[in-house]
Amino acid sequence: MAKLSIRDLDVRGKKVFIRVDFNVPIKEGRIKDDTRVRASLPTITYALEHGATVILASHLGRPKAGRAPSSRWSPWRRTWPGC
């Protein structure tokens, strides 16, 4: 069976849940490599341009002992406008 692409779906007026890999290296509150984020942009943009409401899900880091302040999404708010 061939893989489907978002371009194979009618997303107009739909809520589209996209699991993205935004687990990127962050040092001193700054994103060091945004390759994964940039790679997801065509899919996100396509959905938005075709009338979908986009819901993104990701994780940041993998703390060994419970919650870690370094694994919070707050660095994104300073680095990426609109977050």
Side-chain angles (χ1 to χ4, degrees), residues 4 28 62:
L4 290 178
E28 297 175 5
R62 186 176 292 211

Side-chain angles (χ1 to χ4, degrees), residues 55-66:
I55 303 162
L56 301 176
S58 185
H59 69 93
L60 183 59
R62 186 176 292 211
K64 293 184 176 70

Side-chain angles (χ1 to χ4, degrees), residues 18 20-22 35-45:
I18 303 174
V20 289
D21 188 0
F22 287 171
T35 303
R36 294 177 179 183
V37 176
R38 291 187 186 281
S40 66
L41 290 177
T43 300
I44 297 165
T45 302

Side-chain angles (χ1 to χ4, degrees), residues 1-82:
M1 175 191 256
K3 282 187 179 180
L4 290 178
S5 163
I6 192 165
R7 289 170 176 76
D8 298 318
L9 304 172
D10 178 15
V11 297
R12 186 162 306 285
K14 306 257 175 61
K15 292 179 184 174
V16 178
F17 182 87
I18 303 174
R19 169 56 170 94
V20 289
D21 188 0
F22 287 171
N23 190 22
V24 296
I26 297 177
K27 187 172 182 180
E28 297 175 5
R30 305 287 299 168
I31 297 172
K32 293 299 176 186
D33 181 2
D34 65 355
T35 303
R36 294 177 179 183
V37 176
R38 291 187 186 281
S40 66
L41 290 177
T43 300
I44 297 165
T45 302
Y46 180 89
L48 291 170
E49 288 176 347
H50 286 82
T53 298
V54 174
I55 303 162
L56 301 176
S58 185
H59 69 93
L60 183 59
R62 186 176 292 211
K64 293 184 176 70
R67 296 181 180 184
S70 63
S71 296
R72 296 195 185 277
W73 281 100
S74 57
W76 287 80
R77 292 187 183 97
R78 292 187 300 272
T79 308
W80 283 80

